[in-house]
Amino acid sequence: MSTKYNLKLSWDTPVEWTQAVLSDFDSFLQDHADCERKASSMAMSFIAKCPDRNEIIPELIETALEELVHFKLVYEVMEKRGVSLKNDMPQDEYINQLIKACRSGREERLMDRMIVASVVEARGAERFRLVAENHPDAEMQKFYDMLWKSEHKHSDIFLRLAEHYWPFDQINDRLQVFLEKEGNILSALPFKPALH
């Protein structure tokens, strides 16, 4: 993780979220699988929107593949537990509100979407760490320990990619805006067995 960006979340997830997850872990796994699929699609969507940004495409592909591997790993856990994927992926109010806060100009929106991706990965890391620290099963502790460390790394990737196009100060200033917004959005949402 780059030390120059202040990626400190503005709101810490409380114990009530962890309790909601552990009380219905199968539902959490279904949501987690959906989130990994969406994360892979998000990395690929940057490529679809910016096919001329050759400097960032290889790392976006790697990120998309890594998220897809995470989906495979979560699916394998689900299979062992006899848990199916959901028939459809419900709208994620958390993500929707973050995207609504993005600016509309092409360049401004791209920057904001990359920053949102970073903040979402940072939140995922925080919450996977909570699962790793609190799950009663040692195998799940190990699994989520691996995942939170990977998500932590991803949050830095999107900020570094943004540096190809915008100065550090501009990115970091906007990052602080989104960290504050993200905390406000998430703290107002109910706790449920889902990542967000």
Side-chain angles (χ1 to χ4, degrees), residues 128-189:
F128 289 156
R129 181 177 52 78
L130 289 172
V131 175
E133 290 172 352
N134 292 282
H135 201 288
D137 181 81
E139 194 176 333
M140 287 296 94
Q141 291 171 15
K142 186 176 176 183
F143 180 58
Y144 278 93
D145 185 66
M146 175 275 293
L147 284 175
W148 89 257
K149 289 170 180 169
S150 179
E151 297 293 312
H152 187 64
K153 179 185 71 175
H154 283 177
S155 62
D156 186 50
I157 286 171
F158 292 104
L159 297 176
R160 285 192 290 104
L161 294 180
E163 283 187 58
H164 284 285
Y165 311 111
W166 301 283
F168 164 77
D169 288 345
Q170 206 175 328
I171 297 166
N172 202 47
D173 288 350
R174 194 69 183 150
L175 172 62
Q176 301 317 307
V177 170
F178 271 102
L179 285 166
E180 190 65 32
K181 283 182 189 295
E182 191 267 355
N184 292 336
I185 290 166
L186 200 55
S187 63
L189 292 174

Side-chain angles (χ1 to χ4, degrees), residues 81-133:
R81 296 171 67 101
V83 179
S84 311
L85 292 168
K86 291 179 190 170
N87 288 330
D88 52 36
M89 284 194 273
Q91 289 285 313
D92 188 327
E93 185 59 28
Y94 164 78
I95 297 290
N96 287 346
Q97 287 191 47
L98 282 170
I99 289 171
K100 278 181 193 168
C102 293
R103 293 168 293 180
S104 57
R106 186 174 187 268
E107 291 298 304
E108 293 85 357
R109 189 165 187 81
L110 178 60
M111 180 205 276
D112 284 357
R113 289 296 297 267
M114 293 181 94
I115 291 169
V116 164
S118 294
V119 173
V120 170
E121 295 286 345
R123 180 61 70 184
E126 183 228 24
R127 290 193 158 183
F128 289 156
R129 181 177 52 78
L130 289 172
V131 175
E133 290 172 352

Side-chain angles (χ1 to χ4, degrees), residues 4-111:
K4 60 184 179 176
Y5 285 103
N6 177 15
L7 240 173
K8 183 174 182 343
L9 296 167
S10 68
W11 181 75
D12 294 333
T13 297
V15 68
E16 287 82 4
W17 175 83
T18 311
Q19 290 167 344
V21 166
L22 296 180
S23 71
D24 188 359
F25 195 64
D26 287 350
S27 292
F28 175 73
L29 286 170
Q30 289 178 314
D31 179 77
H32 179 183
D34 287 349
C35 288
E36 296 293 0
R37 284 195 282 175
K38 289 174 187 173
S40 182
S41 297
M42 180 202 62
M44 291 302 293
S45 76
F46 281 123
I47 299 171
K49 291 182 179 83
C50 311
D52 56 332
R53 310 261 179 168
N54 298 331
E55 306 86 356
I56 65 174
I57 288 175
E59 203 155 2
L60 286 169
I61 292 170
E62 287 303 315
T63 301
L65 287 170
E66 193 170 340
E67 299 287 12
L68 201 54
V69 168
H70 290 172
F71 167 65
K72 178 178 181 285
L73 293 172
V74 176
Y75 184 69
E76 287 169 356
V77 170
M78 292 170 67
E79 274 194 309
K80 282 182 193 170
R81 296 171 67 101
V83 179
S84 311
L85 292 168
K86 291 179 190 170
N87 288 330
D88 52 36
M89 284 194 273
Q91 289 285 313
D92 188 327
E93 185 59 28
Y94 164 78
I95 297 290
N96 287 346
Q97 287 191 47
L98 282 170
I99 289 171
K100 278 181 193 168
C102 293
R103 293 168 293 180
S104 57
R106 186 174 187 268
E107 291 298 304
E108 293 85 357
R109 189 165 187 81
L110 178 60
M111 180 205 276

